[in-house]
Amino acid sequence: MQPPESRVPLTADALGHLFAEIGALLRRRLGGPLSALFDTADDTLFELAEHTTDGTRQSAYFDGMRECRRKRSVVERTFMACVGERLHYPPSACRTTPRLQRLSLLGEEELEESLAVSAMVSKAEGQYARALGALNQRFGFMLSDPRPDDATNPVGPARLGECFRQAAEQLEVDAETRIVVYKLFERHVLGALEPIYSEINILLANAGVLPTLSATTVHRPTPSMPRRPAPVEEPPREHRAEERERHADAAAQLLQEVMGLLGGAPAATGMQRQGPAGLPDAPTPQDGIPISGMAMAASTLLGALSRLQRLAYVDPPATPDPSGLKRALLRESESLQPQGAVASGLAPEHERVIDLMASMFDYVRQDRNLPDPMQAQLSRLHLPFLKAALKDSELLSDLRHPAWELLEELDRAALSWSAPADPGERLLGRITDTVETLLGKFDGDPALFERLRDELRTFTQATRRRAELAEQRAVEAALGRERLQSARRQVRTALAARLGRQPTPGWLRHVLNRPWANYLVLQWLRQGENSPAYEEALAFVDDLLWAMRAGATDAERSRLLALLPGLEAKLRHGLSTVAYHESEIEALTGQLREVVRARLGEIPEPAFLATDESQAPAAAFDDDPDLDEEIEEDQPDPDSLDPSMLERIRALEPGTWFEFAAEQTGAERAKLSWISPISGRYLFVNRTGLRVADLTPAQLAQEMESGLARMLEGAGLLQRALGEIVEVLRRNATNKNKSGRGRGRGRDRKGRPSA
């Protein structure tokens, strides 16, 4: 077969037909994800509006929701037309401007949008590097492009991202809402490209475009994109990757130490042959060694192990526990011995491997980091892992073996599992299926570990993307709630200081403590406590308090008369801002007018001023009284807590997992997601991103001391298990040395008992 480079290029008609087929395929395949994008946008924007406490932001989300509904069909048509622009042969000119040139001309909001699009495109290009590498070469071959890359690929993420950005220009929404839409495009459209790219590659290969091309994985460094600063966030992915790498290095050192303490990795002796699996094969008479009395042959051992594996698959309760596995192997081997052989013990190198795996999975059966159902499932992997270790010596020397990587993936998924966060048991079912597949199908080929690892990663990544969105909403809601509490405290303090200076009529206390307090809170949230708007709202309080006692002199009456129109206008504006009904606004401004006229001596003092509310609370807000209760919630006395426990908790970082006891639903696992920069409170979310707890460090310390919460270990399963095994082996070696020295003291140099 000719190498790809020497093939004759396709005719223009054939290329035109191919491009038309690709265009039709994209229209068919992208229609569903694009429709799902707008269906989800409606729900997402509504939820964001519902959870925000910022009135302006809420209005923007609602406006964006209506705009997405109104312009949906226009955006879809524009996007599809743009995608089809370059799927003609010869391709039409593209109106995409080079990115670097555009970035230099953009304003702040447009720059933010450009960075968001670039980030999601870079992520997709890295995710689909394998398929894109093949597509780039095939399109380069068709278009006679000597340097094909992702940017020139007419169906690549860069092209699709630019097309959607052009289409989204039809939406008259603010930058934050537009970025929400871009995130949904990343999830629904860019997230659905893998099967589409595979289909296009197959289509082109079948048409004779580089049919022998080997699509090797292309590794691209992902450019670091500037991001908007967040108040407090979980450690970045790079930090988490470095932490996992440190755990892997620590586990590798522990494995080396374990093998050293056990006497080395399994190796064949000079008197035994190497079988096909790299283990000592059965001895033969030609070796000059009698069969009777020899250690169990590799083939017999693996055969006995396969029988036990099938039994564990069919009847899990009948599976021998790690301590009884040797006896079970010897029992099963009796029927597998060659004719004339006598059943005997295990070879030392085999016994070391069996002991190591038994110790490891005995740890799994008791690991408190794993929930009980996950302990039960992961401990069933003992037999497949033992078979893999006996057949593949690399398993005990390389922790990047697919088997260990699968175990670590299972551990990460199991760590976050709790029944309340998995109501349909999707994750538990997935892990059970993985275990069942290994038990039922593993015959020694490590490719099965690799396939199951990749499938589990795909599953957990899909659920993680949804969880991250829910978690972000939980953090935003918590931050909004904290800001609202802080604003209320500030307003309560400011009003209490002013109202405490002199006796105040109940009517005025009602106006200031209720509608005007809400207006002050709103200005604090929107503009800040040092803003002119907030200062002006406080100045209105001072003017109104002065007006209630003015009128004794001509100068005061003149000033009061001049002040009245401004007071009325400010009160009307403030009440309308906090959504008071027009009739209520008219009633209160009319009462204000009567109060001022009474101070001017024009009318008698109104009857409503006689109502005694002088003892009313200093800040009785209209909405959500639960917030006030939460502000005043009881906190544990720090002196009653263990100082070291409190210090340890205050040093925690986001990403640490905890288990909380719950009477109704059972134990629930949650991750420390966010630490409030305002109050220092800790927000915990479960694996789906939903809020589980919101505690101060003192409350968390109290729950831990009372046994209602416990911190889970951050190290992976391999590091935890190997660390425990090393401790046991060291302890046994120390005890053995002490015992040997004790026996030696009662004998002379020749070993005879001393007198």
Side-chain angles (χ1 to χ4, degrees), residues 233 268 291 424 495 650 728:
E233 61 180 14
I291 293 179
L495 289 176
R650 286 184 173 134
V728 171

Side-chain angles (χ1 to χ4, degrees), residues 543-718:
D543 289 342
L544 199 54
L545 286 169
W546 176 85
M548 296 303 295
R549 65 176 188 273
T553 65
D554 290 340
E556 286 183 351
R557 285 192 290 272
S558 297
R559 182 188 169 195
L560 187 57
L561 193 60
L563 200 59
L564 178 59
L567 289 175
E568 284 189 26
K570 289 177 182 178
L571 181 61
R572 184 180 297 277
H573 171 73
L575 295 178
S576 62
T577 301
V578 293
Y580 260 54
H581 194 272
E582 188 62 31
S583 61
E584 295 175 302
I585 296 174
E586 288 299 331
L588 285 175
T589 52
Q591 290 172 344
L592 173 62
R593 199 177 303 114
E594 289 183 49
V595 169
V596 173
R597 289 184 64 194
R599 292 293 176 265
L600 291 172
E602 296 177 0
I603 61 172
E605 185 172 283
F608 59 80
L609 284 181
T611 306
D612 184 14
E613 290 188 25
S614 59
Q615 301 305 314
F621 296 96
D622 280 342
D623 58 327
D624 201 359
D626 291 341
L627 278 170
D628 294 318
E629 296 175 9
E630 191 168 327
I631 292 172
E632 306 298 339
E633 65 183 341
D634 292 335
Q635 294 291 330
D637 180 6
D639 294 336
S640 66
L641 301 172
D642 181 0
S644 61
M645 171 74 77
L646 205 51
E647 184 178 353
R648 181 185 176 197
I649 287 172
R650 286 184 173 134
L652 289 176
E653 293 185 357
T656 307
W657 281 88
F658 280 76
E659 184 176 79
F660 294 94
E663 294 181 3
Q664 302 295 329
T665 58
E668 184 159 15
R669 296 192 166 209
K671 175 183 69 175
L672 173 57
S673 170
W674 175 74
I675 302 174
S676 168
I678 298 173
S679 66
R681 295 179 71 92
Y682 290 179
L683 175 69
F684 293 89
V685 299
N686 62 18
R687 61 174 295 272
T688 63
L690 299 181
R691 177 177 178 262
V692 171
D694 183 4
L695 305 170
T696 64
Q699 287 173 325
L700 181 58
Q702 186 180 53
E703 294 219 350
M704 291 184 69
E705 288 185 356
S706 62
L708 296 176
R710 67 182 182 92
M711 192 188 310
L712 303 179
E713 292 184 50
L717 176 57
L718 274 174

Side-chain angles (χ1 to χ4, degrees), residues 38 42 62-77 170-173:
F38 282 100
D42 206 78
F62 280 130
D63 291 343
M65 186 174 67
R66 287 189 289 270
E67 183 71 0
C68 285
R69 289 177 185 171
R70 194 165 64 91
K71 298 283 185 65
R72 172 176 181 161
S73 58
V74 176
V75 173
E76 289 178 350
R77 285 197 305 271
Q170 308 287 334
L171 300 173
E172 297 177 7
V173 295

